[in-house]
Amino acid sequence: MPQECELSIITINYNGLTDTCTLIETIPFNDNLEVIVVDNASKNNEADVIENRFPQVKVIKSEKNLGFAGGNNLGIIAAQGKYLFFINNDTIFKEFNVQSLIDRLESSPDIAVVSPKIRFAWGNHPIQFTGYTPLSKITVRNQAIGFGEEDLGQYNTAHPTPYAHGAAMLIKREAIDKVGIMPECFFLYYEELDWSMMFTRAGYQIWYEPLCTIYHKESQATGQNSPLRTYYIVRNRLLLVKRNWLGITKYLSYAYLLGVVSTRDIIKNAITGKWDMLKATLRGIRDFLTYSTLKS
């Protein structure tokens, strides 16, 4: 398909009409930019509302919730841009400095992905992301650099990062064509880390670029456990190891995640009577072990 614009902005809407509309209102439309909203089977005809309110937006209606990866992949198919900017619907721009991300991508043929500085939208806008540390090969944990800190310019130097941030990542279309679309087996959580590893294995670099900042409405409470989050974290952390770790390291990580982390959580939830959380942990382990769809 011939490319008809420079930049495609892709966001997923799932029962998030207010946030999605607020994001769109912060985007300055022009002839070199298209905005694609993939509606993941929201209730109350939210796709139609967006389509009517913003006729310049390309709205894709999915008949079922395809998850983060599946929804974004629908956007990839529809996108006509040279660069694809995947951004959460609960973010906003205060200054639309996406050109700095494009400039970073174009600074080297080896750079395929770049994420901006991400600050929280509340309070004095503390930092959420200025790059990542590498994942531990055993615990599968890492840190977002600068998380929770006041932004005093201490992270205003661009640098490579092992992973892009799923809330905002600009990617060269040609790199996606080479590496492949986002892995849909995760559905929710860890898919952007796995995709980042796919780009890295293909020889590409991922960068953090502070000249562009987005503001994320995600609150500190988001990290609190829920059965849904627990299920996907348990299942997908194991799946990430299965798809990316090799040799003895893979089995040492399995041993830690199953023998230490999951066992600890099962005992703790049983003692405290959190049966929904206990069931979510067990289902996550069961589905990882038994579902053939997770082997891809």
Side-chain angles (χ1 to χ4, degrees):
M1 177 185 296
Q3 291 166 342
E4 299 179 3
C5 65
E6 182 177 56
L7 175 66
S8 299
I9 297 178
I10 301 171
T11 193
I12 307 299
N13 182 71
Y14 177 66
N15 301 323
L17 178 64
T18 299
D19 282 336
T20 301
C21 291
T22 300
L23 167 63
I24 294 171
E25 288 167 353
T26 68
I27 298 173
F29 285 82
N30 59 64
D31 292 340
N32 290 319
L33 176 154
E34 67 174 355
V35 175
I36 299 171
V37 174
V38 180
D39 186 80
N40 254 342
S42 296
K43 302 175 182 177
N44 302 321
N45 297 316
E46 290 191 357
D48 292 337
V49 174
I50 295 168
E51 204 165 35
N52 292 331
R53 189 176 300 180
F54 303 102
Q56 71 273 43
V57 170
K58 183 183 297 184
V59 179
I60 301 171
K61 304 174 187 178
S62 176
E63 294 184 358
K64 64 177 182 178
N65 184 359
L66 300 176
F68 182 75
N72 276 312
N73 287 339
L74 286 182
I76 291 172
I77 294 170
Q80 298 181 17
K82 181 179 179 181
Y83 310 100
L84 277 57
F85 194 15
F86 302 90
I87 186 166
N88 277 16
N89 74 316
D90 62 341
T91 61
I92 57 171
F93 294 97
K94 293 192 174 183
E95 294 183 13
F96 193 78
N97 292 333
V98 176
Q99 184 60 47
S100 64
L101 302 180
I102 295 175
D103 292 344
R104 177 57 59 187
L105 285 183
E106 289 304 317
S107 68
S108 169
D110 295 331
I111 301 176
V113 188
V114 60
S115 281
K117 178 187 290 185
I118 303 175
R119 296 171 63 180
F120 289 109
W122 39 263
N124 65 344
H125 310 308
I127 292 169
Q128 181 178 16
F129 168 88
T130 60
Y132 276 127
T133 62
L135 284 166
S136 163
K137 289 293 185 179
I138 305 301
T139 66
V140 200
R141 294 183 181 278
N142 71 329
Q143 293 182 335
I145 298 169
F147 184 91
E149 296 181 22
E150 183 179 357
D151 186 7
L152 302 174
Q154 67 271 42
Y155 300 109
N156 280 357
T157 301
H159 60 80
T161 177
Y163 323 105
H165 196 293
M169 47 188 178
L170 182 71
I171 307 179
K172 291 175 180 173
R173 180 59 182 255
E174 64 183 39
I176 296 176
D177 292 341
K178 177 179 178 180
V179 169
I181 58 177
M182 199 178 297
E184 296 186 11
C185 53
F186 290 90
F187 190 80
L188 188 66
Y189 300 119
Y190 286 101
E191 57 275 278
E192 75 274 18
L193 298 181
D194 191 282
W195 207 22
S196 294
M197 294 179 198
M198 290 168 61
F199 284 103
T200 302
R201 282 195 296 270
Y204 288 114
Q205 296 176 9
I206 302 167
W207 276 66
Y208 156 72
E209 175 53 67
L211 291 179
C212 178
T213 299
I214 67 152
Y215 295 83
H216 195 189
K217 298 175 187 175
E218 181 180 71
S219 70
Q220 290 176 312
T222 304
Q224 295 177 353
N225 283 334
S226 68
L228 179 69
R229 182 181 185 277
T230 294
Y231 167 78
Y232 282 113
I233 291 294
V234 170
R235 192 196 73 164
N236 291 352
R237 196 157 47 193
L238 290 163
L239 178 57
L240 187 78
V241 170
K242 178 181 179 64
R243 286 170 52 89
N244 296 284
W245 279 208
L246 299 173
I248 187 64
T249 302
K250 174 185 289 188
Y251 296 100
L252 288 173
S253 186
Y254 283 160
Y256 174 79
L257 294 175
L258 293 170
V260 178
V261 177
S262 293
T263 300
R264 177 202 65 199
D265 292 344
I266 289 168
I267 294 173
K268 179 178 66 177
N269 288 324
I271 291 174
T272 57
K274 296 181 179 178
W275 305 115
D276 54 348
M277 301 290 285
L278 174 61
K279 291 176 181 177
T281 300
L282 293 174
R283 283 195 303 110
I285 295 170
R286 179 201 66 189
D287 288 357
F288 167 73
L289 295 173
T290 61
Y291 283 12
S292 60
T293 55
L294 301 183
K295 298 177 182 179
S296 59

